[in-house]
Amino acid sequence: MARPTHRLTARTVASLKKPGRHADGGGLYLHVDPSSAKRWVFVFQWRGKCREMGLGSAQLVSLAQARDAALDARRQVAAGINPIAERQSELRATTFGDVADAVLADLKPSLSNAKHFAQWQTALTTAARPLRPLLVDEVSTDDVLAVLRPIWQRTPVTASRLRGRIERVLDAAKARGLRSGENPARWRGHLDVLLPRQKRLVRGHHAAMGIEALPAFMAALRRRPAVAARALEFTILTAARTGESLRARWSEIDFTTNVWTVPAERMKARAEHRVPLSTAALAVLAEVRPLAGKGNDDWIFPAQSRTRPLSQMAMLMLLRRMGVMEVTVHGFRSTFRDWGGDCTNFPRELIEAALSHTVGNAVERAYRRSDAFAKRQRLMQAWAGFCAKELMAPSKKAA
């Protein structure tokens, strides 16, 4: 009788602590070290001898992935191929570029934003070009440092993202059994002691307008008749991201409840976001409503052709024409956060919720879900009042 397979479960794998080998069947074992570290091994007979092949750490390789790898190895043994020798042959021929391209191919379907995929592609094909011809199992800490050091202080944000993407490729190589040992792009306890401390940005990654300058800027913005001006005004009043507001459609607006519902696919967190519309935000919509066609699914802020939304650069170029040279559109979200924290008594969690940031644990988020929206309505109306120089600081009771 054949021995049963698939004896382990994902829950068992996560909870097992007893040192030793735990069989799943078909030659696949979960090996638990005395330190509680877990790794997959495939045990097979080759020319009369028992051989063992590592399939990767259980932290990086799931039970399903380990079973697939063991199945491939069993098929090789059945075909008269030593899977260890075959993998060593593959390892000798696989470069960092090969694995990077595989990572990009896996990422493409999950990154709905074409801009984000292009950033990954540029990082792994252009910025990491010196690594691409290297055998993936031979990429060292010195190789990674040679790529990062020239840009580490000059463009710190780009350099930090590049490091993370290189780490992702090398983790993928290890999960596929193409390299072993520590990841040379790992930050904590490794590169953080080899690279100099980066200069911290004062306002994150996006230059923001000071709180005191905003009301005068909004007054000047309201005098501008362009569609880009109304789009920017609406974006500021709703504390939205550029892509959320520019790709908004009239079908997303409920004028009965004065709510703008941004669908999940356009949100960074991939969760639907309801935005309470202040009186000022509704006035912006009333002003641009004549631009829409007869369809309820038309763009709220259309380009001249009316067949597509306003360009991503339209609001930024408007800022430059107004003489605002250092501020970015996204930076107005930081201005909103600063105003909420410095000038009002509204709770921090409420301000973060208005920015569609995920805060707190699952229990806290579930508790706040029922009452946060009504409070956010007061928050956004107060924000609109500040933008029009009419803010009255809410009392702690109101907040």
Side-chain angles (χ1 to χ4, degrees):
M1 182 182 295
R3 293 183 179 181
T5 58
H6 293 188
R7 285 181 258 178
L8 299 175
T9 66
R11 178 175 293 182
T12 304
V13 172
S15 61
L16 269 174
K17 295 182 180 179
K18 183 180 178 180
R21 286 183 179 174
H22 304 272
D24 181 60
L28 177 64
Y29 293 84
L30 177 68
H31 186 96
V32 181
D33 293 333
S35 65
S36 295
K38 301 172 185 178
R39 53 190 170 88
W40 296 106
V41 293
F42 173 66
V43 179
F44 63 102
Q45 291 287 326
W46 184 255
R47 295 180 180 175
K49 294 183 179 181
C50 183
R51 303 295 301 273
E52 178 181 309
M53 181 172 72
L55 300 179
S57 166
Q59 285 188 325
L60 299 174
V61 180
S62 68
L63 174 59
Q65 291 171 328
R67 285 172 175 167
D68 288 343
L71 177 61
D72 290 341
R74 285 199 301 274
R75 286 170 175 166
Q76 289 176 329
V77 173
I81 300 170
N82 185 337
I84 296 177
E86 183 70 12
R87 187 174 67 181
Q88 289 174 340
S89 175
E90 180 186 3
L91 186 149
R92 286 193 294 271
T94 304
T95 66
F96 178 91
D98 295 331
V99 182
D101 291 342
V103 168
L104 288 172
D106 290 339
L107 274 174
K108 192 169 185 178
S110 63
L111 293 177
S112 57
N113 190 322
K115 180 181 177 181
H116 291 167
F117 178 75
Q119 290 170 343
W120 271 86
Q121 194 170 40
T122 299
L124 295 179
T125 58
T126 303
R129 183 172 294 161
L131 301 177
R132 290 184 64 82
L134 302 180
L135 295 177
V136 75
D137 65 317
E138 295 180 358
V139 175
S140 68
T141 298
D142 288 340
D143 295 325
V144 175
L145 288 173
V147 171
L148 296 178
R149 274 181 172 143
I151 62 172
W152 190 251
Q153 295 287 17
R154 189 175 73 247
T155 55
V157 175
T158 300
S160 294
R161 290 175 179 171
L162 175 60
R163 184 210 62 77
R165 287 159 183 168
I166 292 172
E167 183 181 25
R168 172 79 171 263
V169 171
L170 296 176
D171 275 344
K174 186 174 181 178
R176 289 172 53 187
L178 299 176
R179 64 173 290 125
S180 59
E182 296 294 334
N183 192 320
R186 191 182 80 249
W187 177 248
R188 190 177 299 277
H190 187 56
L191 292 185
D192 63 342
V193 299
L194 297 176
L195 288 166
R197 185 184 297 272
Q198 293 176 326
K199 295 179 181 178
R200 297 188 65 181
L201 297 177
V202 176
R203 292 185 180 272
H205 304 160
H206 301 275
M209 179 173 287
I211 304 171
E212 67 288 343
L214 185 67
F217 169 78
M218 291 296 286
L221 181 63
R222 279 190 291 271
R223 292 193 291 269
R224 293 262 175 169
V227 175
R230 300 291 73 74
L232 180 56
E233 186 180 359
F234 184 80
T235 301
I236 295 170
L237 289 169
T238 55
R241 297 179 179 90
T242 302
E244 294 164 11
S245 58
L246 286 187
R247 301 189 71 82
R249 298 178 183 269
W250 287 106
S251 56
E252 299 169 5
I253 307 296
D254 186 337
F255 286 103
T256 303
T257 57
N258 295 335
V259 174
W260 169 32
T261 302
V262 188
E265 61 267 21
R266 212 160 67 246
M267 296 300 301
K268 186 175 182 180
R270 292 296 183 265
E272 183 183 273
H273 181 53
R274 293 196 305 156
V275 182
L277 296 173
S278 63
T279 304
L282 290 168
V284 173
L285 295 178
E287 189 171 343
V288 297
R289 193 68 178 96
L291 298 176
K294 296 181 180 179
N296 193 40
D297 208 35
D298 290 341
W299 307 108
I300 293 178
F301 303 107
Q304 286 187 345
S305 66
R306 307 290 176 90
T307 59
R308 64 179 190 276
L310 209 59
S311 164
Q312 289 270 357
M313 289 297 293
M315 294 190 291
L316 182 62
M317 296 309 297
L318 173 66
L319 284 173
R320 301 299 177 257
R321 289 195 297 273
M322 294 178 68
V324 181
M325 307 308 294
E326 301 299 328
V327 173
T328 65
V329 176
H330 196 90
F332 285 105
R333 285 167 56 84
S334 293
T335 306
F336 171 80
R337 185 191 292 110
D338 291 344
W339 163 81
D342 297 345
C343 303
T344 81
N345 293 321
F346 287 108
R348 179 189 69 86
E349 293 82 2
L350 196 68
I351 297 165
E352 295 297 327
L355 290 165
S356 68
H357 288 166
T358 302
V359 293
N361 58 36
V363 175
E364 291 173 317
R365 291 196 296 273
Y367 177 77
R368 286 197 300 267
R369 193 172 298 132
S370 61
D371 64 349
F373 187 78
K375 292 180 179 179
R376 283 197 288 121
Q377 287 177 317
R378 296 196 293 273
L379 170 66
M380 300 315 292
Q381 192 61 45
W383 169 240
F386 173 77
C387 291
K389 289 188 177 183
E390 295 170 359
L391 177 67
M392 293 180 63
S395 65
K396 290 186 179 180
K397 183 178 180 180

